[in-house]
Amino acid sequence: AVVSTQSTGYEKALELDPTNAEARQGLQHCAQSLRNLKPEDRAKLAMNDPEIQQILQDPSMQVILEQMQKDPAAAQEHLKNAAVRDKFMKLVESGIVRVG
């Protein structure tokens, strides 16, 4: 959860000052730390992220994820929607959803 909290802090700093080198470096370090975690550990950590929790509790996303799991063609169709694609990619990046 520490990495997630630090990452959020760096993201907020970059929103205020997109040229802040320290915030950029810190965000890159957090991303690297997350990539070094085992997928199951990364997924456990992600479950503490309020944005991940919100996505997973969204009834429409639950239906979409279920359809995507059962039907790859449905996945392609759903991913044409930018909002769904962004949420799905957030779940993939967090390790909650695995593809491949």
Side-chain angles (χ1 to χ4, degrees):
V2 172
V3 172
S4 179
T5 303
Q6 289 174 340
S7 178
T8 302
Y10 291 129
E11 288 169 352
K12 287 181 181 178
L14 286 170
E15 285 176 14
L16 297 173
D17 178 9
T19 63
N20 185 313
E22 184 179 344
R24 275 184 203 276
Q25 187 177 14
L27 190 58
Q28 288 174 346
H29 176 74
C30 288
Q32 184 62 41
S33 295
L34 287 173
R35 282 192 293 271
N36 290 338
L37 289 174
K38 293 182 206 169
E40 56 272 9
D41 291 337
R42 192 170 63 224
K44 285 180 191 173
L45 183 62
M47 290 304 292
N48 294 320
D49 182 334
E51 186 178 3
I52 296 292
Q53 291 175 5
Q54 184 179 11
I55 293 169
L56 292 174
Q57 292 172 359
D58 179 341
S60 62
M61 277 303 293
Q62 290 174 1
V63 170
I64 290 168
L65 290 169
E66 187 177 318
Q67 289 175 350
M68 291 172 86
Q69 188 174 20
K70 293 177 181 176
D71 181 8
Q76 291 178 341
E77 198 59 36
H78 286 302
L79 293 176
K80 290 179 182 177
N81 178 315
V84 170
R85 185 176 54 249
D86 290 346
K87 290 177 183 181
F88 181 75
M89 291 310 298
K90 178 81 174 175
L91 295 177
V92 170
E93 290 166 3
S94 70
I96 298 290
V97 172
R98 295 186 192 157
V99 292

